Amino acid sequence: MPESNVGFTVDVTKLRAKVKRILAEIELRDLLSTIGQRQLNWMGKSLQEAGTDKPWATMAASTIRRRPQRPSNRHFSSRYQALLQQSPVMAVFESSSAVEVGTNARYSRFHHHGASRGNWRLPSRKIIPEIPRARTLAMSVIDALHARITLEGNR
């Protein structure tokens, strides 16, 4: 996998029956790339939402006055959001039927897992999907491709 601070691997070897049917129609690299792209799309959406289901609270006016360099009155700095949005990486490993997705931003692990030091705290804001979600995303790609290939085969 490319140098990554936060990432995961999706292994498609356990889905042999569906994958075998799909691979009769498309190349393994294309399947793995499609699964990886689905994960990257989820990451982009998560970053747009700042890793939360609801927007971050507006900063207090006193905080904004102390930090005039921040272009946003939201807790999630748009500068760091832009850097994280440019940091996703994906690697396809045909030999092990796997695709790895992550981010190469140095601070991504702190953003993803949260961090604290003294009275300073950075809450966890998920960048990558947790393993159950990653599997669900991968299965949605495999199911959609399998359904499309099956439908086309029945025509």
Side-chain angles (χ1 to χ4, degrees), residues 20-90:
K20 185 176 180 182
R21 175 83 191 261
I22 293 168
L23 292 178
E25 302 293 327
I26 66 172
E27 297 292 321
L28 175 61
R29 177 170 275 297
D30 294 336
L31 171 62
L32 296 173
S33 294
T34 303
I35 290 170
Q37 188 59 51
R38 180 68 180 96
Q39 309 294 337
L40 291 175
N41 291 347
W42 186 95
M43 291 170 65
K45 183 176 181 278
S46 180
L47 285 168
Q48 280 298 109
E49 297 167 355
T52 66
D53 294 328
K54 58 185 179 198
W56 288 94
T58 301
M59 284 189 217
S62 59
T63 302
I64 295 169
R65 281 193 299 276
R66 282 194 310 263
R67 300 178 179 197
Q69 73 277 11
R70 291 200 176 183
S72 169
N73 68 343
R74 297 283 176 189
H75 283 271
F76 187 52
S77 169
S78 58
R79 183 182 101 208
Y80 290 113
Q81 182 180 15
L83 291 172
L84 280 171
Q85 285 175 328
Q86 296 170 13
S87 71
V89 291
M90 177 177 70

Side-chain angles (χ1 to χ4, degrees), residues 1 4 36 60 77 99 127:
M1 179 171 176
S4 175
S77 169
V99 59
I127 297 173

